[in-house]
């Protein structure tokens, strides 16, 4: 359970992945959208530029074709015959053969300005207003050069239709089949055959379909006059300097005049104020009277050019929603796979504190680092369990030791108080002259002396065990004859054995056995062992024996280096006393441990004898061991010490060891013996 202000690993991982992946997805979608928009604009640029070029070529070729047809018609016999009826019939036939953008055909008498024949129904062609043939004093014989071309900017006040470029083509007609090329002088034309034509888009063609990249046509004269505007008829006749986006229009005009075919954005060039895309080019002006150019624009709204972008945008929105959903699912799956091992390890770590749990460490986590973490955690838990068991055992041992020390303090206070009471009581009896004679006084003083010696032994034991625990107890090793030590021990304990009515058996080894030991400390240890045997044996016997033992594994790895023979002398103290239970036998060598630690126990003592004896024997390089078959079956305690190899003087001299200090010491001991 997470604490307040904390978050789970899975939630953090999920939020971090989404925080990184979602902006990347959105950025990718935005870049894709911008790339698609740029591609559509690039396509529009190319198409509109090509459309402007095609429109210009179409206008130029249409005008050229119309001029050629008109020149051919002006040389027809019907018109040159001067017959009005024939001329009318001919122009009616002619208008059907000319392109569909020709509105009407009219034949005028140039001398009288009389209309001889016409197909114009709405409005007649006024040659004087158009300034046709008013300055035609010379006619050039090359093909097409005789045709006059004028334009008329529509004027709504005069009933003219706006939005179409009106071109008037007028060709000379010579009556009487006169060929101006064969005449010595250039004759003046009799008639003028004039055609009214529109080369711009018609009103029905101005509806630009969405997605169309051909655009509507805008024609601008070299001086900046708008000659044609596909969607805004009222702009025809205006100068581009009057437009809001005049700077860009002038830039288009400048580039086109320098034969550059390009693409440019326009703003507020139509009635709705939309952003427009424009491709442009320049063509020679068909008008008579100068070397001029027209700029042809193919214009379409930006929305038309980007009409496909809406579909792309819908696809991108659907795609981004799908990607976000897929990313969320993938993130959930990924965070589950990454967080699940950690959650398993967390549950395991939380549950291992319960001693009764049998849960095993998670396995097959599918991630190498987590597998190794699980192994490390398992190893750590095993070590912790081992340490916990050791700590628990140590705690139990400490608790037991504390209990033993409490028992020891209670026991030692009893053991100290008993001889002290005896000493005090005996001395007071003598002091208060309560004795009948001198012998009784001597008896009481002897009892006080025995109690004082017993008290001194207890205090010495306590001091010895303190020195042993502090590591300050030392021994002085020297060659000691085992049988001699046994004899001294028996002499000291024989009276106590006889007082309890026990049998004593002494079986020393027949050979003289020498060990390297501290005589006083060895005697103290053996006295403790014999004293315990006497204390815990009420009836029966006590036996002391010694024998030689050859161990499988010597106490010293190289006995010769230590002056040992590699053999052991075993001193055994055997009794037929109360015996010891098997589970209690090893504990007896610990300080303060007694089989019966209560103050009401039958046998006295401090429980330090065996512990002191073991430490003394080990300080002298030996071992001590205890055997008992059980309660009431007696006890055997054995002390094993390395046998010291004795060298004769002849052996020492033969080995060249006379100068060796140790050899001198051994030789001296032999001499004393």
């Amino acid at each position: 359970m997470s604490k307040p202000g904390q978050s789970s690993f899975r939630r953090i991982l999920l939020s971090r992945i989404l925080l990184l992946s979602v902006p990347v997805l959105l950025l990718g979608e935005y870049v894709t959208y911008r790339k698609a928009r740029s591609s559509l604009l690039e396509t529009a640029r190319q198409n509109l530029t090509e459309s402007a070029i095609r429109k210009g070529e179409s206008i130029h070729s249409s005008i050229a074709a119309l001029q050629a047809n008109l020149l051919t018609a002006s040389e027809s016999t019907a018109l040159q015959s001067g017959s009005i009826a024939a001329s009318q019939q001919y122009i009616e036939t002619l208008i059907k053969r000319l392109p569909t953008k020709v509105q009407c055909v009219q034949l005028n008498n140039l001398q009288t300005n009389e209309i001889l024949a016409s197909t114009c129904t709405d409005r007649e062609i006024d040659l004087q207003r158009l300034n046709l043939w008013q300055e035609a004093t010379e006619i050039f014989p090359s093909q097409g050069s005789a045709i006059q071309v004028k334009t008329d900017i529509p004027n709504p006040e005069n009933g003219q239709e706006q939005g179409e470029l009106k071109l008037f083509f007028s060709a000379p007609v010579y009556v009487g089949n006169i060929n101006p090329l064969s005449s010595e002088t250039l004759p003046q034309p009799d008639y003028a055959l004039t055609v009214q034509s529109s080369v711009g888009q018609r009103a029905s063609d101005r509806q630009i379909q969405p997605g169309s990249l051909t655009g509507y046509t805008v024609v601008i004269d070299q001086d900046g006059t708008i000659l044609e505007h596909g969607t805004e008829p009222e702009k025809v006749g205006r100068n581009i300097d009057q437009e809001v986006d005049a700077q860009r229009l002038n830039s288009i005009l400048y580039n086109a005049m320098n034969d550059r075919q390009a693409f440019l954005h326009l703003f507020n060039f139509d009635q709705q104020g939309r952003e427009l895309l424009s491709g442009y080019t320049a063509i020679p002006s068909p008008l008579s009277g100068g070397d001029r150019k027209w700029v042809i624009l193919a214009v379409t709204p930006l929305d038309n050019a980007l009409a496909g972008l809406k579909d792309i945008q819908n696809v991108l929105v659907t795609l981004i929603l799908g990607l976000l959903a897929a990313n969320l699912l993938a993130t959930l799956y990924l965070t589950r796979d990454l967080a699940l091992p950690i959650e398993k390890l967390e549950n395991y770590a939380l549950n291992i504190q319960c001693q009764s749990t049998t849960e095993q460490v998670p396995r097959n986590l599918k991630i190498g680092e987590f597998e190794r973490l699980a192994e490390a955690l398992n190893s750590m838990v095993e070590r912790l369990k081992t340490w916990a068991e050791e700590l628990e055992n140590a705690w139990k041992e400490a608790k037991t030791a504390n209990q033993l020390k409490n028992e020891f303090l209670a026991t030692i206070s009893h053991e100290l108080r008993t001889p002290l009471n005896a000493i005090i009581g005996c001395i007071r009896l003598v002091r208060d002259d309560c004795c009948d004679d001198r012998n009784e006084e001597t008896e009481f003083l002897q009892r006080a002396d025995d109690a004082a010696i017993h008290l001194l032994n207890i205090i010495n034991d306590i001091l010895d065990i303190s020195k042993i625990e502090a590591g300050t107890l030392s021994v002085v090793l020297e060659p000691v004859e085992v049988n001699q030590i046994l004899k001294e021990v028996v002499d000291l304990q024989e009276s106590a054995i006889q007082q309890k009515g026990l049998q004593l058996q002494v079986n020393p080894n027949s050979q003289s056995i020498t060990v390297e030991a501290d005589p006083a400390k060895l005697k103290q240890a053996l006295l403790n062992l014999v004293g315990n045997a006497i204390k815990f044996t009420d009836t029966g016997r006590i036996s002391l024996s010694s024998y030689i033992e050859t161990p499988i594994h010597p106490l010293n790895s190289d006995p010769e280096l230590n002056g040992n023979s590699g053999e052991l002398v075993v001193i055994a103290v055997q009794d037929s006393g109360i015996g010891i239970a098997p589970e209690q036998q090893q504990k007896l060598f610990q300080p303060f441990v007694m089989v019966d630690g209560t103050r009401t126990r039958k046998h006295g003592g401090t429980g330090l004898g065996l512990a002191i004896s073991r430490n003394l024997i080990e300080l002298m390089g030996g071992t001590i061991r205890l055997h008992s078959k059980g309660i009431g079956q007696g006890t055997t305690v054995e002390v094993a010490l390395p046998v010291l190899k004795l060298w004769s003087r002849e052996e020492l001299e033969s080995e060249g060891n006379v100068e060796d200090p140790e050899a001198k010491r051994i030789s001296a001991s032999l001499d004393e013996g």
Side-chain angles (χ1 to χ4, degrees):
M1 244 350 239
S2 299
K3 296 181 180 180
Q6 294 181 343
S7 183
S8 65
F9 174 76
R10 181 177 295 197
R11 189 178 298 113
I12 292 175
L13 189 61
L14 178 63
S15 62
R16 296 298 187 274
I17 293 177
L18 290 178
L19 188 63
L20 292 176
S21 59
V22 171
V24 171
L25 287 175
L26 294 177
L27 180 61
E29 292 294 326
Y30 176 75
V31 171
T32 303
Y33 174 80
R34 297 298 300 178
K35 183 64 177 177
R37 189 176 187 276
S38 299
S39 298
L40 290 176
L41 288 177
E42 180 64 19
T43 302
R45 183 190 71 79
Q46 296 177 358
N47 289 345
L48 287 174
T49 302
E50 294 175 358
S51 177
I53 294 173
R54 289 194 301 270
K55 289 177 182 293
E57 292 175 349
S58 176
I59 293 174
H60 184 70
S61 60
S62 297
I63 292 174
L66 186 57
Q67 287 178 336
N69 290 331
L70 185 59
L71 187 59
T72 303
S74 66
E75 297 176 353
S76 66
T77 307
L79 296 180
Q80 292 180 352
S81 64
S83 172
I84 297 177
S87 299
Q88 182 66 36
Q89 182 179 3
Y90 179 77
I91 64 173
E92 290 178 357
T93 304
L94 177 63
I95 196 173
K96 296 178 181 179
R97 292 189 290 108
L98 292 176
T100 56
K101 292 185 180 181
V102 174
Q103 283 83 29
C104 65
V105 181
Q106 181 174 301
L107 182 64
N108 288 70
N109 188 326
L110 291 179
Q111 281 74 25
T112 63
N113 202 24
E114 178 184 1
I115 299 175
L116 302 178
S118 176
T119 62
C120 300
T121 57
D122 296 334
R123 184 178 181 182
E124 296 176 350
I125 300 174
D126 189 352
L127 298 183
Q128 291 182 349
R129 185 179 63 82
L130 296 174
N131 197 22
L132 284 171
W133 301 108
Q134 299 302 314
E135 299 177 358
T137 58
E138 294 184 353
I139 303 300
F140 299 96
S142 59
Q143 184 179 7
S145 61
I147 297 178
Q148 295 281 320
V149 181
K150 297 290 184 178
T151 183
D152 183 24
I153 298 177
N155 188 352
E157 296 179 357
N158 298 330
Q160 294 175 304
E161 183 180 358
Q162 291 183 321
E164 289 185 329
L165 176 62
K166 299 295 189 300
L167 291 178
F168 297 92
F169 300 85
S170 184
V173 178
Y174 298 90
V175 179
N177 195 17
I178 299 175
N179 187 356
L181 298 178
S182 61
S183 302
E184 295 180 359
T185 60
L186 294 177
Q188 293 295 325
D190 298 306
Y191 302 150
L193 180 62
T194 306
V195 174
Q196 178 182 334
S197 176
S198 174
V199 295
Q201 291 180 320
R202 300 193 179 186
S204 59
D205 297 330
R206 293 173 185 164
Q207 302 299 326
I208 306 299
Q209 298 297 325
S212 173
L213 297 179
T214 58
Y216 59 84
T217 305
V218 174
V219 181
I220 304 176
D221 196 4
Q222 185 172 338
D223 60 1
T225 302
I226 300 175
L227 302 178
E228 169 69 16
H229 196 295
T231 60
E232 303 292 335
E234 63 273 10
K235 291 184 180 292
V236 175
R238 295 177 59 179
N239 194 280
I240 58 175
D241 292 334
Q242 299 175 329
E243 298 296 324
V244 177
D245 206 8
Q247 183 177 359
R248 289 178 176 269
L249 290 171
N250 280 304
S251 176
I252 290 176
L253 191 64
Y254 175 80
N255 291 334
M257 291 298 103
N258 289 277
D259 296 329
R260 298 175 186 171
Q261 299 170 345
F263 169 89
L264 195 66
H265 287 253
L266 293 176
F267 301 92
N268 297 314
F269 192 50
D270 63 357
Q271 193 173 16
Q272 300 179 9
R274 299 172 296 181
E275 182 178 355
L276 305 174
L277 304 179
S278 173
Y280 57 88
T281 188
I283 63 172
S285 174
L287 300 180
S288 302
D291 186 14
R292 301 177 64 83
K293 290 184 178 181
W294 282 359
V295 178
I296 310 299
L297 281 69
V299 182
T300 190
L302 179 64
D303 295 340
N304 285 357
L306 300 178
L309 190 61
K310 189 173 184 62
D311 295 334
I312 296 175
Q313 185 176 359
N314 294 333
V315 171
L316 290 177
V317 170
T318 305
L319 182 61
I320 190 61
L321 293 177
L323 288 176
L324 289 175
N327 179 64
L328 179 60
L329 294 176
T331 303
L332 290 173
Y333 181 78
L334 179 63
T335 53
R336 175 184 174 276
D337 277 359
L338 292 178
L340 190 58
I342 295 182
E343 293 171 355
K344 288 182 178 179
L345 293 175
E346 178 192 18
N347 294 333
Y348 173 72
L350 293 176
N351 291 332
I352 58 176
Q353 58 186 344
C354 303
Q355 296 181 355
S356 59
T357 182
T358 58
E359 184 178 355
Q360 299 295 323
V361 65
R363 297 293 182 185
N364 300 323
L365 299 178
K366 300 180 180 180
I367 300 177
E369 289 79 0
F370 289 155
E371 287 285 352
R372 290 188 288 274
L373 178 61
E375 293 175 0
L377 183 60
N378 187 43
S379 177
M380 180 185 69
V381 169
E382 293 299 327
R383 290 198 302 271
L384 288 176
K385 287 182 178 179
T386 303
W387 294 342
E389 292 176 357
E390 294 176 355
L391 184 61
E392 185 176 2
N393 293 333
W395 177 78
K396 290 180 179 178
E397 292 176 359
K399 186 177 180 181
T400 302
N402 185 57
Q403 182 180 357
L404 292 175
K405 286 199 174 185
N406 291 335
E407 293 177 357
F408 169 76
L409 291 175
T411 300
I412 202 66
S413 63
H414 175 74
E415 292 293 330
L416 293 173
R417 186 169 57 249
T418 299
L420 280 175
N421 288 334
I423 293 171
I424 293 171
C426 292
I427 292 176
R428 284 182 177 179
L429 286 174
V430 175
R431 185 196 65 182
D432 295 339
D433 199 16
C434 296
C435 299
D436 295 336
D437 51 26
R438 181 64 180 171
N439 292 333
E440 190 175 7
E441 289 181 357
T442 302
E443 181 182 356
F444 282 130
L445 290 175
Q446 183 63 43
R447 290 181 183 178
D449 182 71
D450 293 341
I453 294 300
H454 178 66
L455 182 61
L456 178 62
N457 291 333
I458 293 175
I459 294 174
N460 286 336
D461 287 345
I462 295 175
L463 292 175
D464 286 343
I465 199 67
S466 299
K467 289 180 180 180
I468 289 171
E469 290 186 347
T472 59
L473 184 65
S474 62
V475 295
V476 179
L477 301 179
E478 60 183 62
V480 177
E481 211 281 320
V482 174
N483 291 337
Q484 180 65 30
I485 292 294
L486 287 178
K487 183 177 180 302
E488 294 176 4
V489 171
V490 170
D491 292 341
L492 291 174
Q493 296 288 1
E494 187 174 8
S495 61
I497 294 173
Q498 291 177 356
Q499 288 178 4
K500 292 194 71 172
L502 302 176
Q503 298 179 5
L504 176 63
Q505 295 180 358
V506 181
N507 300 314
N509 195 283
S510 59
Q511 300 178 359
S512 177
I513 304 173
T514 303
V515 296
E516 193 173 25
D518 188 323
K521 297 296 190 291
L522 179 58
K523 185 187 297 184
Q524 178 184 352
L526 293 177
L527 285 173
N528 284 338
L529 298 180
V530 175
N532 283 341
I534 296 171
K535 183 192 303 184
F536 295 105
T537 304
D538 295 330
T539 59
R541 60 180 175 79
I542 295 174
S543 64
L544 276 76
S545 61
S546 63
Y547 59 90
I548 298 298
E549 181 182 83
T550 303
I552 299 176
H553 301 288
L555 295 178
N556 299 286
S557 59
D558 193 353
E560 295 294 336
L561 295 177
N562 297 285
N564 298 329
S565 63
E567 296 179 333
L568 298 176
V569 59
V570 179
I571 304 171
V573 179
Q574 186 177 6
D575 65 64
S576 58
I578 62 176
I580 304 172
E583 64 273 8
Q584 297 289 335
Q585 294 178 15
Q586 294 299 323
K587 296 180 181 179
L588 292 178
F589 289 101
Q590 298 178 8
F592 320 118
V593 174
M594 293 173 287
V595 176
D596 184 7
T598 62
R599 282 178 290 179
T600 59
R601 67 192 188 281
K602 180 179 178 180
H603 307 284
T606 60
L608 300 176
L610 287 178
I612 294 173
S613 299
R614 185 194 66 176
N615 283 277
L616 291 175
I617 296 300
E618 289 178 352
L619 285 173
M620 291 182 284
T623 59
I624 187 169
R625 49 186 183 253
L626 183 146
H627 305 285
S628 179
K629 294 182 179 180
I631 302 297
Q633 301 186 42
T635 305
T636 300
V637 181
E638 296 177 341
V639 175
L641 291 169
V643 176
L644 182 64
K645 183 178 181 180
L646 298 178
W647 299 77
S648 65
R649 183 172 297 276
E650 291 77 9
E651 290 175 337
L652 292 174
E653 291 176 354
S654 65
E655 294 293 334
N657 295 326
V658 177
E659 300 301 325
D660 183 64
E662 183 66 18
K664 288 183 178 181
R665 184 179 63 81
I666 295 174
S667 177
S669 65
L670 290 174
D671 293 339
E672 292 175 0

